[in-house]
Amino acid sequence: MIKRVDIKNREIAAEILSIQVPSYLVEAKIIGYYDLPPLKDTIDSLQQSQETFFAYYLQEKLCGIISFKLDRTEVDLHRLIVHPDHFRTGIAKKLLSFVETIEGVKSIIVTTGAKNTPAINFYLKNGFCKLQEVKVDEHLILSSFRKHII
């Protein structure tokens, strides 16, 4: 079940953090860069986020999160998180598909580590096109993608 969650609720923020950290640790290991901002989040920093959060629950257990900012007709995807215990079960696809059905959305943009092959393959498989790569520092390059919703 997918439902909107209130990030201002401390318990919900803590629950989100409990799946965000293990998920981003997997990405950090893949790309060889452990200084990712999501790994530095705290309950307080999550609660201060201006993103809209939707959660995927399986039998009342949080398994995935998608968060974004909506700028008129474009979704700027900030987090697409699945707990590692639930990788490759279709949760990420369900969360992405859910966002694609939001009324008025015409495009989605997302950024991930250029070495994060599983994420890149996921976005390409789901209709995203690569926009650019940006070198953040000597250890991190980010790739940006966009999908137009028909």
Side-chain angles (χ1 to χ4, degrees):
M1 165 180 57
I2 297 174
K3 70 178 184 178
R4 187 172 181 166
V5 292
D6 180 6
I7 196 63
K8 305 295 185 207
N9 179 309
R10 194 162 182 81
E11 289 177 16
I12 289 173
E15 189 178 23
I16 290 170
L17 197 59
S18 77
I19 71 165
Q20 177 172 298
V21 170
S23 179
Y24 277 99
L25 278 172
V26 171
E27 178 175 2
K29 184 176 181 180
I30 290 169
I31 68 174
Y33 187 83
Y34 288 85
D35 202 25
L36 298 173
L39 290 175
K40 297 177 182 178
D41 266 330
T42 64
I43 293 170
D44 291 333
S45 67
L46 275 177
Q47 287 185 287
Q48 294 169 18
S49 167
Q50 298 301 307
E51 300 157 38
T52 301
F53 285 76
F54 284 87
Y56 182 92
Y57 289 93
L58 186 61
Q59 298 173 358
E60 298 186 29
K61 180 180 177 174
L62 179 64
C63 299
I65 286 289
I66 194 163
S67 75
F68 57 88
K69 291 182 180 176
L70 180 60
D71 181 16
R72 290 189 219 103
T73 62
E74 185 165 72
V75 167
D76 183 354
L77 199 59
H78 286 246
R79 303 164 211 264
L80 179 51
I81 305 165
V82 176
H83 190 281
D85 290 347
H86 299 280
F87 280 0
R88 302 183 129 346
T89 62
I91 292 172
K93 173 66 176 158
K94 289 175 185 170
L95 287 165
L96 180 61
S97 295
F98 176 81
V99 169
E100 291 173 358
T101 65
I102 295 173
E103 188 172 337
V105 170
K106 295 188 178 174
S107 63
I108 300 172
I109 57 171
V110 66
T111 301
T112 191
K115 294 180 183 177
N116 189 349
T117 306
I120 290 169
N121 289 341
F122 172 81
Y123 292 121
L124 292 174
K125 181 177 147 187
N126 284 283
F128 284 77
C129 296
K130 188 172 183 179
L131 295 175
Q132 65 179 351
E133 283 192 352
V134 175
K135 185 174 183 177
V136 175
D137 63 31
E138 67 223 40
H139 304 290
L140 180 64
I141 299 171
L142 298 176
S143 295
S144 299
F145 299 83
R146 173 176 279 129
K147 178 178 183 176
H148 292 281
I149 310 298
I150 299 172

